[in-house]
Amino acid sequence: MRIAFITRSTLHSVPGGDTIQIEQTVRHLQQIGVQTDILSANAPVNYSQYDLLHFFNITRPADLLHHTKNALIPFVITPVLIDYSEYDRYYRKGISGFMLRQFSPSANEYIKTVGRWIFGKDKLADKRYLLKGQHKGILEILQKASHILPNSSAEMTALEKLYGIKKPFTIVPNGVDTFLFQQNETVKRNPQLVLCIARIEGIKNQLNLIRALNDSEFNLLLIGAAAPNQQGYYNECRQTAAQNIQFINRLPQAQLVQYYQTAGVHVLPSWFETCGLSSLEAAATGCNIVITDKGYTRDYFGEHAFYCDPGNTTSILAAIRKASAGKDNEQLAKKITEQYTWQRAAAITASVYTKIISH
């Protein structure tokens, strides 16, 4: 069995949660004997070498339409369905914010895609996207897919509601590297140390987090690089931050372990999260979790996390105080190491491949 993962062209140059998801899934698929290659959506693909294609990021249909048209083999898709419309409409600043407030979420994604193409920041492999648009492009891909692999039931519900589709699907939850991220009872945890590990950008909402914790009893450590085109936002974060806020550039996963094991709280007050991989990693070490109530986070964390309203700094601070005062979340750590591992994600994914190819 040989599988081609078709991914966004910026998977490695602009790493995000999907970068970790794809690399870890491939690693563990290969460990159980599934040959897997990671290919850029903009690169030519020799389809005859593969039994099946695996697409990622349905919200970038311009990357995928070309392959769905030319490949004569089945494909599955991990949607990574994100919804940044609230942020775009109410909180994005500048000319882009003004423009995006004028249109629907689908139109906004279309504008972003065409803009990246016009300014040379991405390629447009299939010009049909210009005529089809965002919604119809996504719908065509979903209709042709053999199987859908959402990361949560909430994501699949949202997909069905948005696009009116009924397709075979299997939930493949995101995971953690349990060899790296685990509890260490010999390390003393500091309940006043708060982590936020994420790219620094408007959608991750670090600015409101800084405002919530400025001159508070907590020390906030922000670990992550500025996202592309977000240097202005990053600068504003640094200028707004009080003395109890520190910044560290993006670190390899292995170096994050010591921070997770030492901090009392990890917080992601984003405008939308599919799950928040850094939150999963932190929780696996026993760290208490504060996370946005926007997105699919409750499918992962249930009642074991502290939720906040990303638009309300009082809500963010209150959730962090509750999390800091709580005991180490051993129940959530146990749940993650049992249910949310890359080994399990790979096993579920491989079983879907086998079923499709055998038919």
Side-chain angles (χ1 to χ4, degrees), residues 200-231:
I200 297 180
E201 56 184 332
I203 194 68
K204 295 296 185 182
N205 200 34
Q206 285 96 342
L207 187 56
N208 268 356
L209 174 59
I210 289 168
R211 288 168 175 158
L213 294 190
N214 263 350
D215 298 316
S216 69
E217 67 270 32
F218 297 103
N219 292 312
L220 172 62
L221 190 55
L222 296 159
I223 301 179
N229 305 317
Q230 295 274 316
Q231 190 63 46

Side-chain angles (χ1 to χ4, degrees), residues 75-356:
F75 69 86
V76 300
I77 184 159
T78 296
V80 195
L81 182 67
I82 51 180
D83 181 3
Y84 293 163
S85 59
E86 182 177 1
Y87 170 69
D88 287 339
R89 188 171 294 275
Y90 299 111
Y91 300 99
R92 189 182 288 272
K93 296 181 179 179
I95 295 173
S96 61
F98 173 79
M99 290 292 294
L100 295 174
R101 281 190 283 276
Q102 313 306 312
F103 303 102
S104 69
S106 285
N108 286 343
E109 292 305 318
Y110 180 83
I111 291 167
K112 292 178 196 176
T113 300
V114 174
R116 288 194 298 267
W117 172 53
I118 290 173
F119 292 106
K121 295 177 180 178
D122 212 343
K123 294 180 180 179
L124 194 65
D126 194 329
K127 301 300 191 294
R128 292 184 305 145
Y129 176 78
L130 297 174
L131 295 176
K132 282 185 175 295
Q134 182 78 2
H135 188 89
K136 288 183 179 177
I138 290 175
L139 188 58
E140 178 177 316
I141 294 165
L142 291 173
Q143 288 172 338
K144 289 182 177 180
S146 297
H147 210 87
I148 300 173
L149 301 175
N151 296 137
S152 66
S153 59
E155 182 182 17
M156 191 64 203
T157 299
L159 199 69
E160 290 174 340
K161 183 178 179 180
L162 278 171
Y163 299 101
I165 52 125
K166 289 290 182 183
K167 298 285 292 188
F169 72 93
T170 301
I171 295 169
V172 183
N174 276 303
V176 298
D177 184 340
T178 52
F179 292 101
L180 271 181
F181 303 110
Q182 51 187 278
Q183 291 175 284
N184 185 344
E185 295 178 0
T186 66
V187 178
K188 188 175 181 180
R189 199 177 290 281
N190 178 0
Q192 306 307 116
L193 177 60
V194 178
L195 295 181
C196 176
I197 299 178
R199 265 192 324 216
I200 297 180
E201 56 184 332
I203 194 68
K204 295 296 185 182
N205 200 34
Q206 285 96 342
L207 187 56
N208 268 356
L209 174 59
I210 289 168
R211 288 168 175 158
L213 294 190
N214 263 350
D215 298 316
S216 69
E217 67 270 32
F218 297 103
N219 292 312
L220 172 62
L221 190 55
L222 296 159
I223 301 179
N229 305 317
Q230 295 274 316
Q231 190 63 46
Y233 182 83
Y234 177 81
N235 293 341
E236 186 177 3
C237 286
R238 295 208 68 136
Q239 290 162 6
T240 304
Q243 292 297 312
N244 62 319
I245 316 290
Q246 293 179 278
F247 294 78
I248 294 180
N249 205 358
R250 184 175 184 267
L251 295 174
Q253 282 197 297
Q255 293 183 31
L256 295 176
V257 178
Q258 59 179 318
Y259 293 99
Y260 287 138
Q261 291 177 341
T262 305
V265 180
H266 182 273
V267 56
L268 275 184
S270 316
W271 291 106
F272 191 94
E273 284 291 347
T274 54
C275 77
L277 285 182
S278 58
S279 293
L280 278 182
E281 292 165 358
T285 72
C287 191
N288 283 336
I289 301 303
V290 172
I291 197 162
T292 181
D293 60 3
K294 312 285 186 182
Y296 317 131
T297 54
R298 290 184 188 273
D299 272 25
Y300 283 83
F301 300 105
E303 299 306 313
H304 299 298
F306 299 86
Y307 296 92
C308 66
D309 175 357
N312 187 326
T313 56
T314 301
S315 169
I316 295 170
L317 179 57
I320 290 170
R321 282 178 170 153
K322 288 179 182 177
S324 175
K327 296 179 180 179
D328 285 6
N329 205 331
E330 294 182 4
Q331 281 185 304
L332 179 57
K334 186 172 185 290
K335 177 183 178 182
I336 288 170
T337 55
E338 290 175 353
Q339 298 182 28
Y340 301 133
T341 68
W342 294 121
Q343 293 94 324
R344 184 167 182 262
I348 296 171
T349 302
S351 69
V352 173
Y353 294 163
T354 301
K355 188 182 297 184
I356 293 171

Side-chain angles (χ1 to χ4, degrees), residues 45-66:
V45 179
N46 185 351
Y47 302 113
S48 63
Q49 292 183 351
Y50 298 99
D51 299 297
L52 183 141
L53 304 179
H54 189 157
F55 296 146
F56 286 79
N57 293 311
I58 192 66
T59 53
R60 295 174 65 102
D63 287 351
L64 307 178
L65 284 167
H66 171 75

